[in-house]
Each structure stands twice: as C-alpha cells, then as structure tokens.
Amino acid sequence: IVLSAILISSVTLAMDSPTIGDNSPTREFLTIMDLILNGIFIFECAVKIFAQSFKLYRRSGWNRLDLLIVSTSVLDMVLTYGLEGNIDLAMLKIFRTFRILRALRPLRIIARARGLRILVSTIMSAVKPVLNTVSIALGVFAIFGILGMQILMGKMYSCADVQIVNQADCEPRDWQNYPVNFDNLYYAVRSMFILATQDDWPDHMFAGVDATTTTTGPYQNNNPFLALYYIASILIAGYLVINIFVGVFVDCYNSAATELEVAKVEKMKANQLPPIFDDPTSPSRLQVMSVVTTTAFDMFIAFFIVTNVISMAFESWKQSDFQNDFALVTNFFFSFVFGWECIFKMYAFFPRRYYVNGWNKFDFFIVMISYLGIAVDNLGTSVGVNPTVLRVLRVFRIFRILRAFRIFKAAKGLQAIIATLGNSLPALLNLFSMLALVFFIFAVLGITLFGGICTDGDQGKPGLKAVPCLFTDPDLMFHTHAHFKGIGIALLSLFRVATGDAWGEMLDASQMSPGSRELQDSAWESFTGLMETVPQDEWQQFASHYEQVLGEAPLIDREASGMPLLAATIAIWRWNVTTFGLDEAPAWPLPEAAPLGAEWVAVANSALPNCIEEPEILHLEHLGLADCSVGGYDKACFSTCGSPIGGFLYFSTFVCLAAFVLLQLVIAVLMEQLSANEDELAAGSELMPGASELKRLVFDRMYRRWRYQAARKLLYERKLARRTASADSAKVAEVQEPEGGGKMEPKVELCHPDGNGVSVKDEGNRVSVSKVVEEEGNGVGLDHGERNRIGTATTGDPPPEGTGKDLPTPGPGPSDPAKSQPIPTATEVASKPGTASPLPRITSSLSSEEPTQVPHLP
C-alpha cells in the first residue's frame, strides 16, 4: 500500500504545473490526492513509531528522511489550508519553501528497492574520500578565478546598443554585464565551473579577449593573448581537476561495490551446461551438419552478411530506377541465401537443437520478417487492399535494417561487446534507475523553483496575459524548447543540461533577479513627457479606480518610495489603452499602429527592470492590469524572477550528479565488465600446471562434460536398478517398513563378479551411491558386465533402446569441497598398498566413504 502511495504521489507531482488554474478540476483533484497521500504517509509514520519506538525508528536514515518529508508536508498543509488568508504574504512565501521537499518523496522508493538501496549506500560511502578532491577542485577554481579578477574585473560590460562604446553615451540604455564575468570571487568561481564543463567556452573566451576597460565596451580582438588564460583554465580545471574528481569517485565506488558485492554479478556459466544433443544418425543430416559447422561455412555466410549491409547503403531518397531494381534484386537474393541457411541448419540439427542457440533465433526472426516484407510489397499489386492498411503493413519493411545486426554474428569482437552489455545489465539497470530518479526529482524541483520564469514568446500572449513578461529582459528568458513549465519539457531540458549543451543560458535565466527599483533621470524625463499626452478625463477615471481598489490616491512624486511601482502601473495602463484591440497585429505586444505603446513599455521596464516580483504583479492584478488565468480558470499571478543562489546550487548539483557521477559510473561499470571478460579469456588460455598443450579452458570443458556424463550414468543406473534388479543378477538387500509407519525405503545392491558392488539407496528425489568401480582407460564406470549393459560414462555411449528415452537432462554434480576430492588415475590407485585386484575400488568426486548424494536434477 505504501509503495503504491509513493508511486501515485510521484504521478501527482508529475501532473502538477504552474499552468494549471487554481479552480480547475485538475487542481481540485491534485489537492484531494495530496491530502489523501499525506494522510497515508502520516499514518505509516505513526504506526512505525508506535511499533518500534521513536528511539529505534530514528536509527534508520531512511526513516529519518520519511519523518522529515512527513513533517514538512504537515507544516505545508497547516499553512496552506489552515491559515490561508490569515497570514502575511511574505511569511507564507517563506513557509511555502517547505513544499520544495515534496520533490523528495520519490526517494522513498529507494528504501524499498534493494538494488537502489545498496547503490545509494555505496555512493554515500564514496562521498567522504571525494570531499578531499572537491576541496582541491575548489582551490584550483579559486586560484584561476582570482587571476581572472585581476585581469577582467569590471571590464566585461557593454551597452545594450552595440554601436555605442562609451558608458557615458549609453544613457538611457542599459549598461549590462557579460554573464560569465570575474567581478567578484563568487562570479569568478562560477565562471570557472562553467568553463570546466566546457559549455560554450569559445564564446566566453572571445568575450574576454574583446574586453577593454571599465568604462568602455568590447573591441574585437583587443587582447588575443588572453585566450591562453582561458585555454589553461580549461585544460587544468576542465580536463585535469574534473577528471580527477570523476576518477576518484569511480575508484571509491568500485572499491565499495566490491566489498558489498554489488557490482559483482554472480557467474553460473561454469555450472550451467547447455543441453547435450546427440548427433544425427541419418547420413544425409550428418553430411549437412558437417558442412554448416565448419569455419569455412561461417566465413561464407559472413561474406554475404557484409555484402548485404553494403548493398543496403546504396539506398537514397528519391533514388533512380537502377537503384530501385538493384534494391529489389539484392533483397530477393539475400533473403534466399539466408533462408536456405536456416533450412540447412534446421534440417541438420532438428528444430529443438536449432532454437537453443540465440543467434539462430535471431537469424530465423530476420528471415521471417524479410519474407513477410516481400509478401507485403507484392500484396498491393496482386490483391485489392486498402492503401491505408497497406501503408501500415509496409512498416515491416523497416525490420530489414535488422539484417545489419547479423554482422555481430560474424565478428567475435562485437560478440564480446554484446556479452559485456548483457553481463552488465543488472548493475546498469540500478544505475539507470537511479539516474531516472535523479532526473525526475530535479524536474519536479525545477518546476517548483523556476516554473514562473518567462519563456521566450510569453510576452506575445494576447491582451493583459502578456503583462507579466513585459518586464523581463528577452535575453534572460528561458528558451522555447528549454524551460520548466511541465514535467516533459523539464526532463528534456535536464537531459540537455546533462549533455552540456548551452546549459549556461538556463543558469543565467534561473539566476535572474530584480534590478534597482529607482527611476533614473532619463526614465523620469520620459515618464513625465508621456504623462503630458494623457487626456485629463482618462486620468481622473484611472485615479478614481486606483483609489477605490487600493484605498489611496496615486501621488506622482519622484522622491516617494513607491514611485517606480506607480510609474510602471501607469505605463501598463497607458500601454493597454493605446494597444487595445491590436492583439492580432504582427508586432504584438508593440504594434507599429500604436507607437506610444512601445514608449510606455520602455518606461515600465526602466521602473521595474529585469523581472517583476510577486507583490508587484499582484498589485497590477488587483487593479485589473494583469491577467494570469489559464484556460478560463482563475490563476493567481506569481513572480517571474529567479534565485541567484538557488539557481547556481540547482544546476551545479545536477551537473555534478548526472554528468560527472552517474553517467561516468555507467561507463565505469561497462569498462569493469569488459576487463573482467578479458581476464576470464586470458585465464582460460593459460596452460594447466605441468602441461605443454592442455589449456585451462579446454580442461574446464572436459571436466564439466565428464561430470555431466557421470551424473547421467548414475541416474540411468538408478532407473535400471529399479526396473531390472531381480532379472539382472540383483537382489533386494533389505525391504522393510519403518516402525510407526511412513514411506518404505528400498535398498538395492548390485552384485559384481569380483565382489565390488554399487549400493543404491532410494531417497525420494535423490540417490546415494556408495561404491563406483573404475577400469583403467575407461574412466568412471561399472565392471565389465554392467558396462556392456549401460555404456561408458566418459565416451557417452548411448543406452539400450527403450531404457533411456525419458532420462531427464542432468545438471551439475555435487560441488561441496569437503566431499569432493580429485579423482586419482588408475595407476595411482594401483600403486597403493593392498590393491591387488586388476579392477581396484576408488573414491572419486562421485563416491566417498559416506554415500555421496546426487541432487535431484530436473
């Protein structure tokens, strides 16, 4: 129930958006679900504390996280629903910051997923050693930042009008600073971090090269040698320090993962044998099998695979008739070749053995898809089919491109890479799950923190909906395809940040802060000049409305503290009057038909530069000069400003987690697995001790096959003892019912001429074998009479007809090192004292002093 509540909570967080109306059905649904989910989490927390006691409850870090989230949720509900309308707006805004912690709810999934929980514990164990590297990185950033301050501090300003160079001539235009600057230590370290991530570093470098003085704007290539500073910063801070940080973290992660046995995937290949099939007895099938299993045949098919890939590369858009004919002929030809390959192999191996191999399954799928595509292509010409249905069916032609993947079958190196990916899937699944969780949490945080920031194009909304974004600098708006208005575009924007694509622009927008709320001389002159154009009767109506709504008359006084807001209010009123009804004009919101509208907007921007804060936009909304409704539903206006500190912490933390840590760990896991595969191959190519040609890999295969055949023989021996004990010189040693009832336990002893016997004890699903006889040169087996009847284990002679049809496929034998001992040779056994018999008794891995139990094999 709790896990379902967490998943539903994540869905509701994803549904939330600043574009949802306050009284819309969606908002009402989210509000009700929020109350229900908070109730479930509060109940869970209370029950756990009651059951475990608070002292035991708080020992777990995950419980402490749950308690923090629940506590902040309770506080948010009390402030939002209990004291709504009875608390100061500024105080409520402070307490609403606790709602940010709602984004941490999906973290509770980690506590209930063992793989993610161990992964997080492993990452956290690597944090402490990484802190030393972080201090080194910050030190390097500070050193280069201070050096940049000495060279470029205060010199990266420019006028909004690029044709003006001097600051004195820039009035009344804005004298603006370059975003990546070195005016103080904070901005210097911030700039070094951006350069270290190599985000648009050529633009930043040339901005520094063009810098001149503190009172003049940029001049192209003013100081070319300054490029050396930027290059050195990128080489040391970007390549060296950042990679040291990543390397130390990955090394610590691998060490911790080895200790916790997380990254290590248990390999059971040595004990999991593929099914064993007998070769065909038919001469024709045997002849075909001898052909399709040769290296020459594999190279022959590999040639056609490569040729098919090359022929597919000749296709193009609007291709000629020759290209169409060539594609048609090659498609038929290669489909024919690969089809006959499947037929030959299926005829030689039988379908059951053919489909055991994964590559054979892939080949068969590609061939069937190719034939289906050919059938669909010719279906439209021979049968009257609806063209729409035919277009849908032709989608199967896309699968022809899968033929190119058959090249993996022809290249052993590519197969090794595929095997590496397959072996790394468990660890990669945990890493990708953690990465997706980080993306989701940061997307929800981004919507909460930056959902109100204007996006390029918002200033073009019709009517008063454009007012909130009229105050925002167009250069500091989020891009149309990179913002936080919804969960989908937020995830896409974060992926852009993780790949390092111009994420500095998003950082600048998120750090946008309101400018100075003072009217400059030029702005005051423009305002007073435009006021003279206002008709007196319209001003009287506006002043009356203003006093009626706010309870005070508008007083135009430059020294008054609220004069910038009043000037912006009057400017928006006059802009609305002059541009009313021109929403569809091409240049909206500054249509050419109303030139005074652009002048009034310039006055508003001068009075409230950069962005508009929440009290200011609510002031305009109360006067009816701003409209934030969405889809016909009411929506309270909010600030369009960002947070200088919050924006930097948000993006820098995400870049470090996503780009520097988790994505690098994915690469580290793949490299570790590839190295493990290479080590395994190298170990298999080693020679056995004392051998000149026998390799360990070959010996392992011999041992596994011997164990397989030995287990198979023992199972067959049990069945034979049950069926033919009385008729095959076997006698029932003891058959008696246990005292007190229960299952009868027969014990059968197979007698042999030399006195050596095999004692078989029935234990339900298992059989115990006490003695096994070996004859030199034939491996493990019975004596001569039994060998003729059963067949040798090592050579794999088939059992008599009718006796072994339903033999189950056995698996590995006993692997307990305490009971398994090396099998000595016949010569070693014969050399021991007291071994005069030509067929001595031995103790092998399948026999010991105590009966060795062969496990039930399905």
Side-chain angles (χ1 to χ4, degrees):
I1 295 177
V2 175
L3 184 59
S4 300
I6 294 174
L7 294 176
I8 295 174
S9 176
S10 301
V11 173
T12 58
L13 288 174
M15 292 175 61
D16 202 356
S17 169
T19 59
I20 299 176
D22 293 336
N23 59 343
S24 64
T26 304
R27 176 59 63 191
E28 294 176 359
F29 169 77
L30 293 177
T31 301
I32 295 173
M33 290 303 302
D34 189 42
L35 293 174
I36 295 174
L37 293 171
N38 284 337
I40 294 175
F41 296 144
I42 293 172
F43 178 75
E44 178 208 8
C45 182
V47 169
K48 283 187 175 181
I49 293 176
F50 178 78
Q52 302 177 5
S53 78
F54 184 74
K55 183 177 181 181
L56 294 177
Y57 176 81
R58 64 184 180 87
R59 287 183 180 179
S60 171
W62 299 109
N63 288 339
R64 291 196 294 270
L65 176 64
D66 291 349
L67 182 61
L68 174 64
I69 296 174
V70 169
S71 301
T72 54
S73 299
V74 171
L75 184 60
D76 175 56
M77 285 192 303
V78 171
L79 294 175
T80 303
Y81 306 112
L83 302 178
E84 188 173 10
N86 300 320
I87 190 172
D88 182 68
L89 177 63
M91 187 64 64
L92 182 61
K93 182 180 178 181
I94 294 175
F95 282 110
R96 278 180 178 173
T97 55
F98 288 113
R99 303 193 68 181
I100 297 175
L101 296 177
R102 293 191 308 167
L104 300 180
R105 285 181 184 173
L107 285 177
R108 305 184 68 191
I109 298 176
I110 299 177
R112 291 158 179 84
R114 182 177 179 274
L116 290 179
R117 188 171 65 250
I118 296 178
L119 175 63
V120 172
S121 301
T122 305
I123 293 177
M124 294 303 296
S125 65
V127 169
K128 187 176 180 180
V130 170
L131 291 179
N132 296 329
T133 309
V134 172
S135 61
I136 294 175
L138 291 177
V140 172
F141 289 170
I143 292 173
F144 276 89
I146 293 173
L147 180 59
M149 291 170 59
Q150 301 302 316
I151 302 173
L152 296 170
M153 185 167 54
K155 298 180 180 180
M156 303 187 72
Y157 284 84
S158 62
C159 185
D161 188 348
V162 295
Q163 296 181 354
I164 298 176
V165 177
N166 296 322
Q167 180 181 4
D169 300 333
C170 190
E171 291 290 340
R173 303 166 188 83
D174 187 20
W175 184 251
Q176 55 194 12
N177 197 5
Y178 189 73
V180 182
N181 59 73
F182 298 86
D183 286 355
N184 53 52
L185 185 59
Y186 164 73
Y187 278 104
V189 173
R190 173 181 175 273
S191 300
M192 291 306 305
F193 181 77
I194 294 175
L195 290 174
T197 60
Q198 302 174 34
D199 174 57
D200 286 345
W201 69 269
D203 294 339
H204 305 325
M205 180 184 69
F206 287 116
V209 169
D210 296 342
T212 54
T213 65
T214 57
T215 58
T216 57
Y219 183 80
Q220 188 173 4
N221 294 331
N222 180 64
N223 189 2
F225 294 101
L226 197 59
L228 297 176
Y229 165 77
Y230 282 89
I231 294 175
S233 301
I234 293 173
L235 289 176
I236 297 177
Y239 290 153
L240 183 60
V241 175
I242 294 298
N243 285 303
I244 288 176
F245 166 79
V246 173
V248 170
F249 196 97
V250 170
D251 183 67
C252 294
Y253 168 81
N254 289 334
S255 300
T258 302
E259 295 175 1
L260 295 175
E261 297 181 356
V262 178
K264 204 179 201 179
V265 180
E266 295 183 0
K267 297 181 180 178
M268 302 300 295
K269 292 183 179 180
N271 296 325
Q272 293 178 348
L273 293 175
I276 304 299
F277 297 96
D278 295 329
D279 291 341
T281 56
S282 172
S284 60
R285 291 181 183 271
L286 195 62
Q287 182 66 26
V288 174
M289 190 188 75
S290 64
V291 173
V292 299
T293 55
T294 59
T295 304
F297 183 81
D298 290 339
M299 297 301 297
F300 178 74
I301 296 298
F303 169 77
F304 284 109
I305 293 174
V306 175
T307 308
N308 184 22
V309 173
I310 295 175
S311 66
M312 295 173 67
F314 281 96
E315 296 185 5
S316 63
W317 170 249
K318 293 183 178 180
Q319 57 187 13
S320 62
D321 295 338
F322 172 76
Q323 288 178 296
N324 291 328
D325 296 339
F326 178 79
L328 182 64
V329 172
T330 54
N331 184 32
F332 286 158
F333 175 74
F334 290 115
S335 298
F336 173 80
V337 171
F338 298 142
W340 275 107
E341 178 199 5
C342 291
I343 293 174
F344 284 153
K345 287 187 175 181
M346 201 172 296
Y347 175 76
F349 298 137
F350 292 99
R352 183 184 176 188
R353 183 175 180 180
Y354 175 80
Y355 288 118
V356 167
N357 188 290
W359 289 108
N360 289 342
K361 295 177 183 177
F362 180 72
D363 291 347
F364 183 78
F365 173 76
I366 297 299
V367 169
M368 291 297 102
I369 288 294
S370 300
Y371 288 159
L372 182 60
I374 293 174
V376 169
D377 287 341
N378 294 274
L379 189 62
T381 58
S382 58
V383 181
V385 181
N386 190 326
T388 303
V389 177
L390 189 60
R391 282 194 297 269
V392 174
L393 293 176
R394 281 178 178 171
V395 173
F396 287 101
R397 297 181 61 185
I398 300 175
F399 289 97
R400 289 191 304 173
I401 194 63
L402 294 178
R403 289 181 184 174
F405 289 98
R406 295 195 64 189
I407 200 169
F408 287 103
K409 183 179 178 181
K412 300 298 182 182
L414 296 178
Q415 292 184 21
I417 294 177
I418 295 297
T420 300
L421 291 175
N423 295 332
S424 304
L425 281 180
L428 291 180
L429 181 61
N430 289 331
L431 283 172
F432 282 125
S433 300
M434 188 64 193
L435 190 62
L437 194 60
V438 168
F439 268 75
F440 180 79
I441 291 174
F442 273 85
V444 174
L445 280 175
I447 294 173
T448 305
L449 294 173
F450 313 119
I453 297 178
C454 294
T455 303
D456 189 16
D458 287 349
Q459 70 275 25
K461 292 181 178 180
L464 296 176
K465 294 181 182 294
V467 170
C469 295
L470 285 178
F471 298 90
T472 305
D473 186 354
D475 294 334
L476 295 179
M477 292 182 178
F478 279 134
H479 193 269
T480 308
H481 303 298
H483 55 82
F484 295 93
K485 298 289 187 180
I487 189 66
I489 191 64
L491 291 172
L492 184 62
S493 302
L494 289 178
F495 184 77
R496 171 179 174 176
V497 174
T499 57
D501 179 32
W503 69 273
E505 297 177 0
M506 300 184 66
L507 175 63
D508 296 336
S510 67
Q511 291 186 297
M512 180 173 50
S513 58
S516 175
R517 295 312 196 231
E518 295 181 1
L519 284 174
Q520 302 295 329
D521 294 339
S522 58
W524 178 255
E525 293 176 1
S526 299
F527 173 71
T528 55
L530 290 172
M531 284 296 295
E532 296 178 357
T533 64
V534 179
Q536 191 64 26
D537 56 339
E538 294 183 7
W539 170 251
Q540 291 297 335
Q541 293 178 4
F542 173 77
S544 175
H545 175 70
Y546 188 95
E547 185 176 3
Q548 182 181 359
V549 174
L550 300 179
E552 59 180 8
L555 178 61
I556 299 178
D557 183 4
R558 186 178 182 183
E559 302 300 329
S561 59
M563 190 58 214
L565 179 58
L566 178 59
T569 303
I570 295 173
I572 294 299
W573 165 57
R574 294 310 302 169
W575 167 82
N576 184 41
V577 171
T578 56
T579 61
F580 185 78
L582 300 176
D583 300 3
E584 304 297 331
W588 176 264
L590 305 176
E592 297 179 358
L596 285 178
E599 297 183 24
W600 281 112
V601 170
V603 170
N605 289 333
S606 300
L608 303 178
N610 292 349
C611 60
I612 187 168
E613 297 183 283
E614 186 169 353
E616 297 167 345
I617 190 62
L618 291 178
H619 173 85
L620 296 176
E621 186 181 23
H622 291 160
L623 291 171
L625 297 176
D627 182 14
C628 298
S629 61
V630 179
Y633 297 102
D634 295 336
K635 175 68 177 177
C637 293
F638 40 80
S639 172
T640 60
C641 299
S643 173
I645 302 298
F648 179 72
L649 291 177
Y650 175 86
F651 282 99
S652 61
T653 303
F654 178 77
V655 168
C656 290
L657 280 178
F660 293 163
V661 176
L662 292 178
L663 289 179
Q664 297 295 332
L665 286 181
V666 171
I667 299 175
V669 168
L670 292 176
M671 295 299 296
E672 181 72 18
Q673 187 61 49
L674 187 60
S675 177
N677 290 348
E678 293 177 353
D679 293 342
E680 183 179 354
L681 292 176
S685 62
E686 295 178 356
L687 294 176
M688 292 296 296
S692 59
E693 294 184 1
L694 180 61
K695 295 182 179 180
R696 183 179 298 275
L697 190 62
V698 177
F699 180 80
D700 289 342
R701 287 202 301 267
M702 293 170 58
Y703 164 71
R704 293 197 300 268
R705 182 57 61 91
W706 175 87
R707 189 172 64 178
Y708 174 86
Q709 295 287 8
R712 186 181 182 186
K713 176 180 178 179
L714 290 176
L715 288 176
Y716 175 74
E717 191 174 87
R718 181 179 65 176
K719 296 187 67 174
L720 189 65
R722 286 177 177 177
R723 295 179 180 179
T724 61
S726 58
D728 196 20
S729 302
K731 64 181 180 178
V732 177
E734 181 181 0
V735 179
Q736 58 181 345
E737 182 176 356
E739 296 183 3
K743 181 180 178 181
M744 296 184 65
E745 188 174 77
K747 182 176 181 181
V748 181
E749 182 176 356
L750 301 180
C751 300
H752 300 275
D754 61 352
N756 298 324
V758 179
S759 179
V760 181
K761 182 179 180 182
D762 190 349
E763 295 183 354
N765 290 332
R766 297 181 294 183
V767 59
S768 300
V769 183
S770 58
K771 291 184 177 63
V772 178
V773 182
E774 180 188 48
E775 179 178 274
E776 186 172 355
N778 291 291
V780 176
L782 303 177
D783 73 288
H784 298 288
E786 295 297 330
R787 180 176 297 107
N788 293 333
R789 181 165 46 80
I790 299 176
T792 59
T794 55
T795 58
D797 293 342
E801 290 183 308
T803 60
K805 292 189 209 175
D806 53 349
L807 261 173
T809 302
S815 58
D816 188 356
K819 295 183 179 181
S820 300
Q821 301 176 357
I823 300 178
T825 62
T827 305
E828 293 175 348
V829 176
S831 63
K832 293 182 180 179
T835 57
S837 173
L839 299 174
R841 276 174 274 182
I842 64 172
T843 300
S844 70
S845 61
L846 296 176
S847 66
S848 59
E849 295 181 0
E850 305 238 343
T852 302
Q853 293 181 349
V854 178
H856 171 63
L857 302 172

